[in-house]
Amino acid sequence: MDRITITIEPELLAGLDAFVEAKGYAGRSEALRDLLRERLKAESTGRGGDGQCLAALTYVYDHHKRQLSNRLTDLHHDHHDLTIATMHVHLDHESCLEVAVLRGAVEQVRKLSESVISQHGVRYGHTHFVPANIAVQAHHHHGEPAGDHGHSHGEGHAHEHIRTLVWTQKS
């Protein structure tokens, strides 16, 4: 095993020590290794190439920043094929929390998430990637003439119906 040295602020070190004690780790090194493994696993899912995923994009932003709300809305509208739903919460006079549920190709979801998080005025942002195999099922409704179809909403935006989600756990 290699040994490394890091420089860390006193407040962060106090947080690490509290984490070590609360979780029952034998020491800081073990806790840091687990935290690093977890983060690298999450990052690899979010950088996983051409697979499909579900993701929860969570961000806090200053709604007084000039045009930020409009820019964020425009980003989601520009990627309506990836955005399943959003929830908006007013935290206080200055801050809003939004959670966007995203679905699509990992690389496209990652790029949208990074575009949102990097906006000036976004104070915090995190994307939780969930690897999934998404299968689309053609269908027809009871009482309609036979024949499978898809739905469209508005200007020809396809609406997919999910048949199965197969959760994959990467080691």
Side-chain angles (χ1 to χ4, degrees):
M1 209 176 285
D2 291 331
R3 181 179 299 262
I4 64 169
T5 302
I6 64 170
T7 304
I8 190 168
E9 299 90 7
E11 300 82 24
L12 191 55
L13 183 58
L16 175 62
D17 287 340
F19 179 79
V20 167
E21 185 165 329
K23 299 294 183 181
Y25 284 102
R28 293 173 178 163
S29 292
E30 175 112 12
L32 284 170
R33 281 192 296 270
D34 279 355
L35 290 169
L36 187 56
R37 277 188 210 103
E38 182 179 319
R39 180 58 188 231
L40 291 174
K41 181 178 178 182
E43 285 291 317
S44 71
T45 299
R47 306 230 180 259
D50 57 359
Q52 296 289 304
C53 72
L54 297 172
L57 168 60
T58 307
Y59 52 100
V60 175
Y61 68 95
D62 180 348
H63 76 260
H64 290 298
K65 282 288 183 199
R66 184 174 171 85
Q67 297 295 313
L68 178 58
S69 294
N70 291 339
R71 287 195 314 270
L72 293 170
T73 299
D74 288 347
L75 277 168
H76 285 290
H77 279 274
D78 291 346
H79 297 91
H80 65 275
D81 56 324
L82 301 176
T83 305
I84 296 173
T86 58
M87 178 179 67
H88 181 94
V89 178
H90 300 279
L91 297 176
D92 58 31
H93 182 69
E94 299 167 353
S95 301
C96 294
L97 164 75
E98 287 191 352
V99 178
V101 179
L102 308 173
R103 176 183 67 206
V106 171
E107 186 64 17
Q108 291 176 337
V109 168
R110 183 188 60 77
K111 284 182 179 178
L112 172 58
S113 297
E114 289 174 352
S115 294
V116 168
I117 292 168
S118 67
Q119 292 294 310
H120 182 66
V122 173
R123 296 182 182 135
Y124 168 83
H126 177 75
T127 309
H128 178 76
F129 287 89
V130 180
N133 295 326
I134 301 171
V136 177
Q137 176 183 7
H139 69 280
H140 67 275
H141 296 274
H142 179 66
E144 290 183 354
D148 291 337
H149 70 278
H151 291 275
S152 68
H153 298 277
E155 296 289 318
H157 301 300
H159 176 73
E160 299 174 321
H161 289 269
I162 299 175
R163 180 182 65 206
T164 56
L165 289 177
V166 180
W167 305 107
T168 57
Q169 185 173 10
K170 295 185 178 184
S171 52

